[in-house]
Amino acid sequence: MKYSRVCLHSFGYELPPHIVTSADLEQQLAPVYERLKLPEGRLELMSGIRSRRFWEPGTKPSEAAALAGRKALTASGLTPADIDFLAVTSVSRDMMEPATASFVHRSLGLAESCQIFDISNACLGFLNGMVVLANMIELGQVRYGMIVAGETAEELVRSTVQQLLADESLTRKTIKPAFASLTIGSGAVALVMGDRKAKDTGHRLVGGACRANTKHNDLCQGGQNSEQETLMSTDAELLLEKGIETAAMCWQAFVQETGWDKDSIRRFFCHQVGQAHSRQLFSKLELDPARNFETLPVLGNIGSVSAPITMAMGIERGKLKSGQRAALLGIGSGINSVMLGVEW
C-alpha cells in the first residue's frame, strides 16, 4: 500500500487516573504466590512492566475514547463538522450492539454526514483503522477523519486475579497462560488524518504492509466464561515466537513497498507486549533498539492503544522531529501484523 495525499494531523490521548503497580497485583495474589512458592517481583521481571493505568470504576470504552478524540480534534484546529469519518478500533467496546462508534460520535458532536463504524482486530485495530481511513482519503471520499480507541482492562485483570485465587489446582506450569492478562493496562488515544489537498500538515503517511499468519490463531484467545467474567488464555512463549516471525515477514514486505532501508528510519513505535518481546523483535529484524521509543514499563500492554499512544507521547517528548521517518509496527493475536511508514 502506498499513499500520496494522506496527512497525519494530530494525536490526542488520555491516561487513566489510577496507577497500579505489578507489586500491587502480586500483593493481591499473595496466597497463590505463597502456595506455589513464586518469588516476589516475578511479574515485573518477566514483563518489564512496573505499572499500568486503570480508569475510575464504571468508565466505558466510548467515554475514554471520546476524551482522547476531543483532544485530537482540538489540536487539529478542525471543528466537529469537518470530520467525515470516525472509527473506533479498541478491543474493548460498550456493548455488542450498537457500535461503540455511535456513542463516541454523539459525545463529540460530529456531523450526521460522518460515516461511523467499529473495527475489531485485537491489538492491531488502530493501525487497521489508519489503513481504512487512508484508503478513503486517497480515493477522495474523505477530507478529514478520526481513529479512536479506548481500552478498559479493569474487568480482565480483576477476573484473572479472582480466578487464580479460586483455583486450588494451579501449578507453576498451569498459571503461565494467565500471566499475560496481568500485563494489560487501560488508556485511550485518537488520531486525526486528512487529505493534504485540503490541508497539508507536512506529516505524510507514506505507505505500509501487512501479513497474516492465522495458523497460529489459537495462541491467545479471550472472551467471557459461563459466569460472564472476562478471561484470556495466552501461550506467551509461542505467541512471542510466532508474532516475531510474522512481524519479520511484514518488515520485509514494508521495505520492498516503501523502498526505505533500516538506517533511514529514525524512530520505531511498536505495539508493546513485554521487554523480552521487544529485545527479540529488534534482534530478529536487525534493527537498532536505541531507536525504539517505549512506554511499556509505565503503561503496560494497552491493546490497540499501545502503538499509537507511544507515538503520540514520543512526538510530545521530541523523539520525532520534522523531516524524520518513523515506522509504526503492530502485531495482533490471530496472528497478523501491520507496519506503516510516516515522514514527519
Side-chain angles (χ1 to χ4, degrees), residues 231-253:
L231 294 169
M232 186 170 68
S233 178
T234 306
D235 185 337
E237 293 179 4
L238 195 54
L239 181 66
L240 182 151
E241 176 189 332
K242 298 305 178 182
I244 291 174
E245 176 185 290
T246 309
M249 293 190 294
C250 190
W251 164 247
Q252 293 302 320

Side-chain angles (χ1 to χ4, degrees), residues 16 18 20 25 28 49 51-62 64 90-93 123 149-162 178 180-188 229-232 299-306:
H18 301 295
V20 178
L25 293 181
Q28 295 179 42
I49 298 169
S51 63
R52 72 282 291 138
R53 299 274 192 138
F54 286 164
W55 301 108
E56 287 286 346
T59 301
K60 295 179 180 179
S62 65
S90 41
V91 179
S92 308
R93 58 185 69 182
C123 297
E151 300 289 14
T152 54
E154 295 77 17
E155 172 60 21
L156 172 60
V157 175
R158 183 194 64 79
S159 297
T160 301
V161 169
Q162 288 186 346
S181 300
L182 301 177
T183 68
I184 305 298
S186 297
E229 294 175 317
T230 302
L231 294 169
M232 186 170 68
L299 296 182
N301 177 359
I302 326 177
S304 69
V305 171
S306 283

Side-chain angles (χ1 to χ4, degrees), residues 95-131:
M95 58 189 69
M96 185 173 293
E97 187 179 353
T100 303
S102 68
F103 299 106
V104 178
H105 176 272
R106 180 177 180 178
S107 180
L108 295 180
L110 304 183
E112 293 178 356
S113 57
C114 177
Q115 185 172 179
I116 65 166
F117 50 80
D118 291 353
I119 296 175
S120 177
N121 192 16
C123 297
L124 203 55
F126 198 97
L127 271 61
N128 293 137
M130 289 177 65
V131 170

